[in-house]
Structures are given as structure tokens and as C-alpha cells.
Amino acid sequence: MSPDLTVEPKVRILDAAADAFMRRGFADTTIDDIADAVGATKGLVYYHYRSKFDIFLAVYEQGMQRVRERVEPSVTRPGSGRERLESMAVAHVVNLMDDLSYHHVVHQGVRHQESTALKARQRDALIALNQLRQDYELLFRNVVAEGVADGSLRDIDVGLATRVFLSSLNAVDVWYRRSEGTAEDSSRLARAVVDLVIRGVAADTA
């Protein structure tokens, strides 16, 4: 697919890098790979970013900003804790499907934080970005706690429930592949995923 030259170069670089990091992993992706995908020279890439690792960090940060912007409006919307949690979860999954490669990069960043191959400066940068992910998780944790308090969620270990819940949502990136479907198709699939995660598969015998 030819790059969209109407998009700002830095955005094209990050989009191309995210796709490359998802397909090849960080170690096996080269600046040439990214430049070729952008339809530009390595010089243009280096004009905006000093190194491949700086691109990786920028992709990670952009991924966290995008998902937070999509989810945050649901945090304070009217409704019970469960209703807001469901709305947040649907927004999260839709964003995951829209920005699949960015989510993969965030997960790579979490896994690579303890890598001995990283320099101290690089590891510190990843730790700072992983704090953004932890702050994002806290949005969900707070709403789960509010759901327990208002009775719309059962009395559960809030920390454990939040991690299991988000892990279940994030597992979508293991099997989801981009399609030519509409935005409504993505929203419908996201709602189905969230319904399964919240309600499970057991029949309601009450």
C-alpha cells in the first residue's frame, strides 16, 4: 500500500514503525524498513528521530495517548460503575482494533523493560512510559472499585479483577486481524467481547 503523503511525516513514520515493530519485532526492524514503508529516505526519518529506539519510545507514547483519549470520556459519564466499566472496555477494544500495531508495541515495551540488552538510559525511558500504562490501568481500577461500592459489581478483589479484566481485553490482539469492516462492525465485535468478559459463558440460572 502506498503511503498517504497528505499525512504529517512524523505520523507516517510512527504508523510505519508500529507496523514494522509488530511484524518483525524491535530487534529485526531497521531504519531502512521504516523509511521504505514511509516512502522516504533514511535522512527524513533521522531528521525527526535520533534513533530507532527513540522511534520505539514515540510509538509507545502515542499508543498510550490514543487509547487514553478514547477511553477517558467514559470514566466520568453518568451511570453505575459497571455501566461505565463496560463503556470504557468497549472503547478500549475498539481502539485496540483500530491501532493494533501500537498496542503490540506497548506490550513489547512492557516485556523489554528488564532486558539486559538495553542501556540504562533506554531502560529508564521505558520505565517512565510504563508509568503511563499503570496510570491508565488505575482509571479502570478506580471504576471497578466504584462498581463494587455501588453494588453493580460483586464484592471482588479490585486489583486482581482489574488486571484480569484488562488482560482479557488485551488478549484480543492475539487473534484479531484487520478487516475491511465498518466502524459499526468493530463496535459490535468490541461489545460482544466485553459482554463475554463481564458476563462469562455460564448460563444465568437465577
Side-chain angles (χ1 to χ4, degrees), residues 65-85:
Q65 288 177 351
R66 289 185 184 187
V67 70
R68 183 161 185 140
E69 287 173 2
R70 185 75 70 93
V71 168
E72 206 159 24
S74 296
V75 175
T76 56
R77 59 167 282 183
S80 66
R82 173 171 172 165
E83 289 169 337
R84 286 181 288 125
L85 182 64

Side-chain angles (χ1 to χ4, degrees), residues 11-81:
V11 175
R12 287 192 282 125
I13 291 169
L14 294 186
D15 287 346
D19 286 339
F21 293 145
M22 178 176 68
R23 293 195 308 272
R24 301 183 178 92
F26 174 77
D28 292 332
T29 297
T30 67
I31 293 293
D32 283 317
D33 294 329
I34 297 170
D36 289 344
V38 173
T41 65
K42 286 200 298 185
L44 176 67
V45 177
Y46 281 123
Y47 175 78
H48 291 289
Y49 298 99
R50 293 170 51 194
S51 69
K52 183 176 71 169
F53 190 75
D54 287 320
I55 298 173
F56 184 87
L57 295 177
V59 172
Y60 189 145
E61 184 173 17
Q62 182 68 211
M64 288 308 309
Q65 288 177 351
R66 289 185 184 187
V67 70
R68 183 161 185 140
E69 287 173 2
R70 185 75 70 93
V71 168
E72 206 159 24
S74 296
V75 175
T76 56
R77 59 167 282 183
S80 66

Side-chain angles (χ1 to χ4, degrees), residues 58-114:
V59 172
Y60 189 145
E61 184 173 17
Q62 182 68 211
M64 288 308 309
Q65 288 177 351
R66 289 185 184 187
V67 70
R68 183 161 185 140
E69 287 173 2
R70 185 75 70 93
V71 168
E72 206 159 24
S74 296
V75 175
T76 56
R77 59 167 282 183
S80 66
R82 173 171 172 165
E83 289 169 337
R84 286 181 288 125
L85 182 64
E86 290 179 351
S87 179
M88 292 166 67
V90 169
H92 177 90
V93 175
V94 169
N95 174 266
L96 185 155
M97 292 187 290
D98 287 347
D99 286 335
L100 185 62
S101 56
Y102 281 84
H103 277 262
H104 274 274
V105 169
V106 170
H107 295 163
Q108 287 179 39
V110 172
R111 292 193 299 270
H112 293 170
Q113 181 176 312
E114 302 302 325

